[in-house]
Amino acid sequence: MTETPRTPLTLAQVEATARAAHAGQTDKAGRPYTEHLRAVAEGVRERGGDEDQIAAAWLHDAVEDDALSPQWLREAALSSRTKDIVLAVTKRAGEPPEAYAARILATPGAPLVKEADLAHNADPARLAVLDEATRMRLTEKYARMRALLGQSDAI
C-alpha cells in the first residue's frame, strides 16, 4: 500500500513549528533564541535562497538542540531537500570541523544556510554583549568555519 502524499508544510507552518520547538530557549546573550532563527531565515531570503532553504533556516538548529527529534524531521511534510539541508548543518558530537564543513559543502543549498547562520552568529553587535573570552573564542570559531567553507570574512 502506498502512502498518500501529504501537503507540504508552508513556510508559515515551518516558522510556527520552529518557534514552538525553541520556545523558552535563549542564546548566549540571553535573547530569545527565536530571534536567531528569524535572522537566519531572513539572511537566507536576502541572499536569494529559495523556500527549501528558508524552511531549513528556520529548522537549522532544531535537531542539534534536541528541540525536534530526528524522527520528527524524517516524518515531517517537508521536501527531501529541506531535510537534507537541516541534516547537513546539524553538528554531530565529536565531529571534526573539517568533516562538518565537507558535509555542508556536499549538500546542495546548505552552504547558503550556513553562511546566513554564521553571519548572524558573528554579528559584532551580538558578540559585543558577551564577555571578552567568549567573544574571542566565538569570533575565531566562526572565522575558521567560514574559511573551511570558502566563505569570505565579509559579513
Side-chain angles (χ1 to χ4, degrees), residues 2 5 9 30-31 65 71 75 97-98 100 104 113 123 126 135 141 144:
T2 59
L9 294 173
R31 302 290 308 157
D65 292 349
Q71 180 177 346
E75 295 173 358
E98 295 80 5
Y100 177 54
I104 291 168
V113 173
D123 180 335
R126 207 165 170 233
R135 183 171 55 252
K141 174 184 168 183
R144 179 162 186 241

Side-chain angles (χ1 to χ4, degrees), residues 12-90:
Q13 290 170 318
V14 171
E15 176 183 347
T17 299
R19 286 182 178 279
H22 290 276
Q25 291 181 347
T26 56
D27 66 12
K28 290 175 180 65
R31 302 290 308 157
Y33 199 77
T34 54
E35 290 180 6
H36 172 64
L37 302 178
R38 180 194 49 74
V40 175
E42 282 302 311
V44 167
R45 182 177 283 115
E46 290 166 3
R47 288 168 172 79
D50 59 29
E51 286 204 3
D52 288 341
Q53 291 169 302
I54 295 166
W58 277 107
L59 299 170
H60 78 277
D61 281 335
V63 175
E64 182 178 317
D65 292 349
D66 294 324
L68 295 171
S69 71
Q71 180 177 346
W72 178 90
L73 184 64
R74 276 192 304 277
E75 295 173 358
L78 297 165
S79 72
S80 59
R81 184 165 174 257
T82 294
K83 293 176 184 182
D84 289 347
I85 294 169
V86 172
L87 292 174
V89 301
T90 298

